[in-house]
Amino acid sequence: MHQRSAGMSRPAEWLAFLRIVVGLYFVKALWQKLELVGGVLPIPMASERWIETMPKIVTRQAAENPILWYKQFLEGTVLQHPAVFAHLTAVGETAVGIGLTLGFLNGLSSAVGLAMALAYGLATQWMSPGQRGFHFVLVACMIAFYGARTGRRWGVDELIAARKPGSVLTQRPIS
């Protein structure tokens, strides 16, 4: 008689699946925010379209933001240097997306993703319950990806750990 375990069924694989899905969400920045050579090859800089669009979005996010210190940061820092922050968001989202999708440098990718999710959540939390919920779930996912070392399943981190277990790339906070 076959006995079934009362425990979870393949949790590492399901977490890796979730990591990949969230990574693909971030990878969309490749096409939406990065400059594309010939409309195909992304280069690590924000597109002119994103440099023009990002300040309009941030202006809306800051307009009635009740977190005064964050509103001041958005208006006094981000909006004063829109090209810098457009490049940071475009390149950051792309790097997080590639890292999570491929399970490469999972610790670093999820930590940067956590910082971005917190920043975006602070900017939008007042706008709607959907915004609060989305960023809350995204923050929770990033913490879980970091804690579970999800790149060690179906990821490049798994290959590195198997081939070079003592490598700096297999240590926290990188892997």
Side-chain angles (χ1 to χ4, degrees):
M1 177 177 213
H2 177 71
Q3 275 193 313
R4 297 192 100 171
S5 169
M8 295 174 69
S9 176
R10 306 179 70 81
E13 287 80 3
W14 287 110
L15 276 171
F17 171 77
L18 182 59
R19 179 204 80 224
I20 293 166
V21 170
V22 171
L24 290 171
Y25 172 79
F26 275 90
V27 163
K28 75 181 182 347
L30 275 168
W31 294 275
Q32 293 180 336
K33 297 177 182 170
L34 286 185
E35 188 68 39
L36 298 174
V37 175
V40 181
L41 180 66
I43 55 176
M45 61 184 285
S47 68
E48 286 300 318
R49 184 177 131 325
W50 180 238
I51 292 170
E52 291 173 15
T53 303
M54 195 266 318
K56 295 173 188 169
I57 294 169
V58 174
T59 298
R60 281 195 310 274
Q61 293 169 340
E64 297 177 41
N65 197 317
I67 304 172
L68 295 181
W69 65 268
Y70 203 73
K71 177 181 176 141
Q72 291 168 349
F73 167 73
L74 293 174
E75 293 174 340
T77 304
V78 176
L79 290 175
Q80 298 305 311
H81 308 285
V84 170
F85 282 91
H87 289 295
L88 286 173
T89 57
V91 172
E93 287 180 24
T94 300
V96 168
I98 291 170
L100 292 178
T101 302
L102 299 178
F104 181 56
L105 305 177
N106 179 80
L108 186 59
S109 298
S110 55
V112 172
L114 174 62
M116 295 183 88
L118 286 170
Y120 296 166
L122 287 170
T124 62
Q125 56 73 38
W126 66 273
M127 297 176 92
S128 74
Q131 289 289 342
R132 278 190 302 277
F134 173 73
H135 290 100
F136 180 78
V137 169
L138 199 54
V139 164
C141 284
M142 295 300 171
I143 292 169
F145 300 156
Y146 183 86
R149 298 181 97 160
T150 58
R152 298 282 178 107
R153 179 65 74 211
W154 297 343
V156 174
D157 289 350
E158 179 179 28
L159 300 173
I160 294 170
R163 288 190 174 84
K164 299 193 183 263
S167 167
V168 70
L169 294 178
T170 64
Q171 305 304 309
R172 286 279 188 204
I174 297 172
S175 171

